[in-house]
Amino acid sequence: MSYKGISDFRSDTVTRPTEKMREAMYKAEVGDDVLGDDPTVIRLEELAAEKLGKESALFVPSGTMGNTIAIKVAIPQGTEVLLEEKSHIYNFECGNISRIVGALPRPIKSSRGKIPLESLEFNFHRGERAHIPDTAGITLEDTHNYWGGAVLEPEYLAQVSKFAKKKGIHFHLDGARIFNAAIALSVDAKELAKHADSVMFCLSKGLGAPIGSMLAGTKEFIESARLVRKFLGGGMRQAGVIAAAGIVAIQEMIDRLGDDHIRAKKLALGISEIEGIIIDPQEVQTDIVIFEVDPEKLSVEEFLEELGKRGVLALSFGPGRVRMVTHKDIDDKDVERAIKTVKEVMKQ
Ligand code: TLP
């Protein structure tokens, strides 16, 4: 349902907390989380760890901080990290691998988020020559944002895990939308998470919480992560107020993600029939719809402006590309409205 007359498809981060979340936040029992005694944060961390089948979890303010902490804990300064060339960590996290960790990110081409095993092998370095940093880790993204919410299957993750173990390197999964992947694949999120040494997921995206992400791993890993979170300024005191919404997000908002996927597919199918819109709806697996606008007809900037004037918001996502994301505050009417509006704009 549109909010104040606007159908906002810019991201699943725009979701507003549910009534239940607001109520839970109001009533949240709190302590001082930096001193380790906020009972609501402790409950959220236990719940998140349990959901992913990991020993322990840490509540962090954002996905970016969760990924940064994971890499900082696992990757020594002066080594390198293998990652996918279109990954969020490489492209949209402020260069934190170099800025904060002091490691070299080595971006590798993929097929919709899957780096071929041979490429991992080819790009792996260990004590070869004094010039080349040793490879200390690999990160992957499931679902993959830039690749339109593409999922990585457990079988592929198992192969990467085997590679990482063989080489003795850390495997971190940016699972900002791991529950979307799990729902799309009809598997438990544990079946995805179990292959990675650490996993980050966001409460603040499709799960609808206002703030926060979780980082999960072994007890020892999370103990180190807690120290890194503090030095990055992520110690949050009475954080139970926001953790309470996170608990509702995990308990109540996962199963409904399938509705977002159905709507994303509907949207993709609808706009694929419009002249000047380039998209393969078969590629839409979860809540993200990415398409190109024929530049002979309209630039992306003009397209977004015209859409916005009619109350439909989308985001520019790389040269010539537009992204629309479905979420709990988008219903069937918003999808119909979006298709109709794109048609109108492209006809002008
Ligand atoms: N993604 C945001 C933007 O930054 C693009 C969005 O609207 O999709 N990993 C992945 C795969 C993400 O998509 C994002 C956010 C993050 C990490 C970072 O999360 P936050 O925004 O909480 O730092």
Side-chain angles (χ1 to χ4, degrees):
M1 67 289 357
S2 58
Y3 179 74
K4 295 190 175 170
I6 303 289
S7 300
D8 194 344
F9 289 86
R10 286 173 303 167
S11 181
D12 46 9
T13 60
V14 305
T15 46
R16 290 181 165 75
T18 62
E19 282 307 309
K20 264 224 168 132
M21 286 178 187
R22 289 183 189 270
E23 201 183 319
M25 291 168 81
Y26 179 67
K27 292 185 177 156
E29 197 190 337
V30 295
D32 186 323
D33 182 47
V34 175
L35 299 178
D37 60 21
D38 187 306
T40 309
V41 173
I42 292 170
R43 254 200 315 133
L44 171 65
E45 292 181 342
E46 284 171 358
L47 183 62
E50 196 274 318
K51 264 284 172 206
L52 292 187
K54 296 288 184 202
E55 277 175 19
S56 200
L58 181 72
F59 185 37
V60 293
S62 68
T64 301
M65 192 185 280
N67 284 332
T68 303
I69 292 172
I71 297 167
K72 177 73 186 156
V73 171
I75 310 296
Q77 187 179 7
T79 62
E80 75 173 8
V81 184
L82 308 180
L83 34 69
E84 197 273 336
E85 64 169 353
K86 303 292 187 193
S87 63
H88 196 277
I89 293 180
Y90 181 59
N91 293 282
F92 303 117
E93 297 190 6
C94 318
N96 283 350
I97 292 184
S98 35
R99 192 192 279 231
I100 292 175
V101 182
L104 175 72
R106 185 172 291 276
I108 309 176
K109 278 197 191 318
S110 80
S111 159
R112 296 183 61 72
K114 283 183 204 133
I115 304 174
L117 268 286
E118 318 75 81
S119 305
L120 289 178
E121 194 68 62
F122 182 78
N123 283 285
F124 179 83
H125 302 111
R126 174 70 48 81
E128 284 175 23
R129 277 186 284 158
H131 318 61
I132 307 178
D134 281 352
T135 307
I138 168 168
T139 76
L140 288 176
E141 193 172 311
D142 195 7
T143 68
H144 200 296
N145 192 344
Y146 182 93
W147 289 113
V151 300
L152 301 178
E153 295 81 7
E155 297 74 20
Y156 172 71
L157 295 172
Q159 288 173 359
V160 174
S161 166
K162 203 168 150 202
F163 168 84
K165 286 206 167 71
K166 189 175 85 191
K167 302 292 190 191
I169 62 175
H170 187 91
F171 175 17
H172 172 69
L173 187 63
D174 175 353
R177 298 181 178 85
I178 194 168
F179 295 105
N180 292 85
I183 295 276
L185 290 161
S186 303
V187 298
D188 195 297
K190 291 182 186 131
E191 291 306 307
L192 304 171
K194 73 178 184 190
H195 299 296
D197 299 305
S198 55
V199 181
M200 185 284 291
F201 76 87
C202 295
L203 301 162
S204 59
K205 300 202 162 57
L207 302 186
I211 302 163
S213 294
M214 306 302 303
L215 176 62
T218 62
K219 200 161 167 284
E220 197 189 355
F221 181 87
I222 294 301
E223 270 166 23
S224 304
R226 202 174 288 282
L227 299 181
V228 175
R229 182 186 68 175
K230 187 69 180 75
F231 94 59
L232 291 177
M236 294 185 289
R237 307 298 178 186
Q238 282 74 53
V241 172
I242 47 175
I247 292 173
V248 178
I250 293 178
Q251 286 176 335
E252 301 201 352
M253 303 300 282
I254 294 175
D255 291 344
R256 59 152 308 286
L257 291 173
D259 297 346
D260 298 340
H261 301 174
I262 293 170
R263 292 196 176 104
K265 189 68 125 182
K266 249 195 214 164
L267 174 65
L269 284 165
I271 59 172
S272 70
E273 289 174 4
I274 301 170
E275 213 189 310
I277 298 293
I278 304 145
I279 182 172
D280 177 359
Q282 293 314 320
E283 287 186 345
V284 175
Q285 294 178 292
T286 55
D287 61 339
I288 299 180
V289 179
I290 292 181
F291 53 94
E292 286 171 44
V293 180
D294 181 355
E296 306 252 302
K297 287 192 163 260
L298 275 181
S299 71
V300 165
E301 291 68 34
E302 288 164 333
F303 175 80
L304 294 176
E305 198 186 327
E306 290 302 320
L307 224 57
K309 277 189 207 159
R310 293 163 174 82
V312 176
L313 302 186
L315 217 58
S316 150
F317 219 63
R321 301 166 98 232
V322 174
R323 186 184 76 166
M324 295 180 85
V325 188
T326 54
H327 50 77
K328 76 163 189 61
D329 296 336
I330 288 291
D331 63 15
D332 291 333
K333 282 209 178 103
D334 293 303
V335 171
E336 281 158 30
R337 177 188 190 186
I339 297 169
K340 199 172 136 258
T341 310
V342 173
K343 231 179 243 168
E344 210 178 289
V345 167
M346 294 307 287
K347 238 190 226 149
Q348 294 185 95

